[in-house]
Amino acid sequence: MVRNITLGQFIPGHSVIHRLDARTKILLLIAYIVFIFCAANYISLLMMTAVSLAVVLATKIKFRLYLKSLKVILLVVLLTGILNIFNGSGRILWELGLIKITEGGINNAIFVTVRIAVLVLISSVLTFTTSPSDLTDALEKILKPLSIFHIKVHEIAMMMTIALRFIPVLLEETDKIMNAQKARGADLESGNIFYRIKALIPILIPLFVSAFRRANDLATAMECRCYNGGVNRTRMKVLCFSGLDLFGLIFSMIIFVGVIVSNLCIPAVVR
Amino acid sequence: MENFIQINDVYFQYEENGKDPSDKYVLNGINLNIDKGEFVAIVGHNGSGKSTLAKHLNSIYLPTTGDVLIDGMNTKDDNKLFAIRKKVGLVLQNPDNQIVAGVVEDDVAFGCENLGIHPREIRKRVYEALEAVDMYEYRKSSPDKLSGGQKQRIAIAGIIAMQPECIVLDEPTAMLDPQGREEVMSTIQKLNREQNITVILITHYMEEAVLADRVIVLDLGTVFFDGTPREVFAQVEPLKKRRLDVPQATELVHYLKGCGYPLPDCVLNEEECVQALLKILKR
Ligand SMILES: Nc1ncnc2c1ncn2[C@@H]1O[C@H](COP(=O)(O)OP(=O)(O)OP(=O)(O)O)[C@@H](O)[C@H]1O
Ligand SMILES: [Mg+2]
């Protein structure tokens, strides 16, 4: 089960999106998320969805992989979608006792579902097309201004690098420990919720112990390679803006202006 | 001429043990000199202080008393810390725990990046290091998708990209299968021969120790024996008494000799063993 997680995975490639600077991608991702939630009528929603799908296609990564990351949150999307059908006002389409389906409810459901799906898709675009080290490097650069508030930006970025590196390692370890405890007769799948939580303890404790041991080793290994907290550190891959980034920014600006204009001209269908 | 690594009368105890001063020392007066370009194997049973000694060679631990000098620099000298770590690289046992970045080439670059080297030079060194360990075609992959032997070679590449003069390897093959062990050992031998890098290999496999120019046996934190593999493995009985193995071929010939067969004092590998046995069979 652990190996099926595609969220947060990097897929090397040479598409235009891969070649965009990581900083551009992070900033644009944030902007897209803001605008997808600002889109308040069908025209602007359609615009944002179409652009996001175009970007997804431009990554030249198999759509199957995107579907995999969508599948992870499928339940959440469906549930919020269905709940939203009953939450709305406006013309009543169908009624049974207390339950009412209204036009507003249908609109709400469609908007919520599309927004979350697009959100997951474009977030996957960022992680699929950006190597972990570019990602953390870019984050370090973007957050750099915060260092005037004595926030240790380099350390945060380093922690992210290590976290990204060790998540799969620890997941695999969890699997192993679970199997080992099952082999000793641990029962993880039956009983009530409290019983099951208690059954997790023999898995968490070895996991923590091993995580600390790994952390200790890693710290030694980093010291051996002259790590000194990022003072005078250089990078092998230097981030640099290119014409492509400029194009991406201008293109996105046009879309954003389009969304704003359509929001102003066409009455909103959702709040 | 001064030796490259000088270990002068080093005693060491872990602070946790230090509550009462008579408590046991993990290193008990070690004196060693190691020259540039040597290939040294260090063997000894569990807890004999091998890993502790290895961590003294690049200032991870400092001697409680005594000195460790690397190319004339004392490991206690704070200003020389990075100069020492640049000269002596340490590779640990578990390959998973020493890889920092999520892409192979980024991880190999990590050490060079810390040294503040120019990006173009880093890339050159990373590619050279990856080629030296035969992992160039994996430079873009994620470490999670590699075998243990491959991961360990990446860890070695991460050290040699810093162009050290000496590599210390602490049981680099302990978690590997025979093929992974073979890969790592031939990489180490190649680095020693072709780039004249001093290699200090800590191992439990006597078949690996035999490949070195010099074998040092540690026991209870002291140097129990120091010599060529042939000299060391001729001492079958004293080694056995210290819970250490000798290569199987060596042991076989030793016992046959004990039964009165005219055999040489020490053979190091299967081939020499076969030759020696053939000689007496043909007579
Ligand atoms: N971090 C530590 N704190 C306290 N004592 C330690 C620590 N690490 C090791 N020791 C003790 O120091 C002694 C030597 O340990 P060391 O790890 O150097 O042995 P080793 O020769 O590398 O053994 P192995 O073959 O098992 O790797 C052991 O008795 C051990 O219990
Ligand atoms: Mg050890």
Side-chain angles (χ1 to χ4, degrees):
Chain A
M1 102 216 180
V2 164
R3 307 210 158 259
N4 290 337
I5 294 175
T6 52
L7 209 69
Q9 183 184 322
F10 168 53
I11 298 156
H14 297 284
S15 73
V16 240
I17 310 291
H18 280 89
R19 286 192 315 237
L20 276 179
D21 188 286
R23 285 167 292 182
T24 317
K25 279 189 268 191
I26 293 180
L27 294 177
L28 282 183
L29 173 67
I30 296 169
Y32 271 80
I33 291 175
V34 170
F35 275 92
I36 194 81
F37 281 92
C38 287
N41 58 56
Y42 280 104
I43 301 285
S44 44
L45 187 70
L46 194 70
M47 261 200 292
M48 289 306 296
T49 315
V51 171
S52 305
L53 283 177
V55 170
V56 165
L57 284 183
T59 60
K60 298 202 175 133
I61 292 169
K62 286 191 207 86
F63 199 70
R64 196 165 43 85
L65 290 169
Y66 288 101
L67 287 184
K68 256 188 178 173
S69 29
L70 274 179
K71 221 168 75 187
V72 177
I73 55 134
L74 188 67
L75 199 69
V76 182
V77 175
L78 285 184
L79 211 69
T80 44
I82 289 168
L83 282 179
N84 267 287
I85 293 182
F86 306 109
N87 162 34
S89 49
R91 201 156 59 84
I92 294 170
L93 298 176
W94 186 78
E95 195 169 5
L96 182 81
L98 277 179
I99 302 173
K100 280 185 286 207
I101 294 182
T102 59
E103 205 176 59
I106 300 269
N107 283 338
N108 276 342
I110 293 176
F111 267 81
V112 164
T113 316
V114 172
R115 278 171 178 172
I116 298 182
V118 171
L119 176 89
V120 171
L121 280 183
I122 53 172
S123 310
S124 304
V125 167
L126 177 70
T127 54
F128 281 178
T129 64
T130 319
S131 81
S133 60
D134 282 353
L135 202 60
T136 46
D137 206 16
L139 210 66
E140 185 176 342
K141 291 259 162 61
I142 291 172
L143 296 180
K144 196 90 218 169
L146 290 183
S147 56
I148 54 167
F149 302 116
H150 297 286
I151 293 175
K152 302 226 159 64
V153 176
H154 169 76
E155 263 135 76
I156 295 174
M158 197 68 212
M159 281 192 262
M160 279 205 39
T161 309
I162 293 172
L164 285 174
R165 156 84 183 89
F166 278 89
I167 283 170
V169 177
L170 290 179
L171 281 178
E172 202 181 308
E173 184 130 322
T174 316
D175 248 9
K176 261 193 219 155
I177 295 174
M178 270 166 104
N179 288 335
Q181 299 293 34
K182 272 188 211 160
R184 293 173 188 169
D187 180 9
L188 304 173
E189 269 120 29
S190 57
N192 64 28
I193 182 96
F194 293 105
Y195 185 82
R196 283 202 209 182
I197 289 174
K198 232 173 94 189
L200 279 182
I201 293 174
I203 290 168
L204 289 181
I205 290 177
L207 189 65
F208 266 91
V209 170
S210 125
F212 278 111
R213 187 168 313 128
R214 282 180 194 281
N216 198 13
D217 265 12
L218 183 70
T220 310
M222 285 170 73
E223 272 186 71
C224 289
R225 294 209 255 161
C226 297
Y227 182 66
N228 64 349
V231 188
N232 293 331
R233 193 169 142 81
T234 50
R235 301 309 306 259
M236 174 170 76
K237 293 172 184 161
V238 186
L239 295 175
C240 69
F241 288 118
S242 65
L244 204 60
D245 296 289
L246 193 65
F247 173 77
L249 285 173
I250 294 175
F251 175 78
S252 306
M253 284 303 167
I254 294 173
I255 303 295
F256 298 155
V257 170
V259 170
I260 293 172
V261 169
S262 96
N263 266 0
L264 291 178
C265 300
I266 305 169
V269 285
V270 289
R271 275 158 289 146
Chain B
M1 198 199 88
E2 223 177 30
N3 287 97
F4 179 57
I5 296 177
Q6 282 179 284
I7 301 173
N8 296 333
D9 218 16
V10 165
Y11 287 81
F12 178 78
Q13 63 185 162
Y14 283 99
E15 265 166 303
E16 291 99 304
N17 305 346
K19 282 164 211 140
D20 103 67
S22 67
D23 211 351
K24 70 159 193 188
Y25 281 90
V26 175
L27 298 182
N28 262 310
I30 295 213
N31 282 294
L32 278 176
N33 287 313
I34 293 169
D35 268 331
K36 249 194 192 127
E38 265 191 288
F39 180 177
V40 183
I42 299 184
V43 299
H45 61 75
N46 291 130
S48 55
K50 305 181 298 292
S51 302
T52 312
L53 179 63
K55 286 179 182 152
H56 274 77
L57 298 177
N58 67 347
S59 285
I60 302 283
Y61 293 152
L62 299 175
T64 310
T65 59
D67 290 299
V68 177
L69 301 177
I70 307 294
D71 213 4
M73 297 179 287
N74 196 319
T75 54
K76 286 177 180 165
D77 186 348
D78 259 350
N79 302 321
K80 299 275 163 61
L81 186 69
F82 290 107
I84 288 173
R85 290 197 179 150
K86 197 174 159 305
K87 271 186 199 286
V88 180
L90 178 61
V91 177
L92 306 174
Q93 175 177 348
N94 188 336
D96 261 330
N97 297 354
Q98 39 189 333
I99 294 180
V100 184
V103 177
V104 165
E105 59 177 3
D106 294 337
D107 183 72
V108 176
F110 181 76
C112 295
E113 292 176 339
N114 290 334
L115 294 174
I117 296 166
H118 189 273
R120 213 170 314 125
E121 170 73 10
I122 298 183
R123 188 164 286 278
K124 189 172 137 261
R125 287 191 186 191
V126 167
Y127 285 176
E128 281 169 4
L130 282 170
E131 257 156 24
V133 299
D134 284 326
M135 288 294 291
Y136 183 72
E137 59 272 44
Y138 293 95
R139 64 190 182 281
K140 300 273 186 211
S141 42
S142 143
D144 308 309
K145 303 214 164 75
L146 302 178
S147 73
Q150 291 175 325
K151 275 187 238 179
Q152 196 58 288
R153 273 145 68 202
I154 296 302
I156 294 175
I159 295 292
I160 59 178
M162 295 165 69
Q163 302 186 336
E165 287 166 44
C166 172
I167 315 184
V168 183
L169 304 108
D170 189 356
E171 299 185 38
T173 58
M175 311 192 81
L176 308 182
D177 59 9
Q179 193 195 335
R181 244 173 10 232
E182 180 86 14
E183 291 167 4
V184 170
M185 281 312 292
S186 64
T187 304
I188 295 171
Q189 284 179 289
K190 194 172 110 191
L191 291 174
N192 177 247
R193 274 196 224 112
E194 291 173 12
Q195 307 195 16
N196 200 32
I197 296 177
T198 312
V199 171
I200 300 176
L201 172 71
I202 296 174
T203 182
H204 280 290
Y205 294 99
M206 298 306 152
E207 282 75 13
E208 291 175 0
V210 161
L211 301 173
D213 305 326
R214 175 179 169 193
V215 176
I216 293 169
V217 182
L218 284 192
D219 185 42
L220 300 174
T222 55
V223 177
F224 166 64
F225 212 98
D226 179 359
T228 63
R230 208 170 288 279
E231 288 164 354
V232 171
F233 291 120
Q235 317 284 324
V236 176
E237 302 301 334
L239 287 177
K240 287 249 150 189
K241 219 177 274 164
R242 277 160 186 84
R243 292 185 278 147
L244 280 171
D245 261 344
V246 295
Q248 274 180 342
T250 315
E251 197 172 353
L252 176 67
V253 169
H254 176 79
Y255 283 118
L256 288 175
K257 191 177 157 71
C259 300
Y261 292 97
L263 284 167
D265 275 339
C266 178
V267 301
L268 289 180
N269 49 40
E270 278 90 0
E271 190 153 340
E272 286 179 24
C273 174
V274 170
Q275 291 303 326
L277 291 178
L278 274 180
K279 221 186 245 167
I280 55 169
L281 285 175
K282 276 188 185 147
R283 269 198 306 182

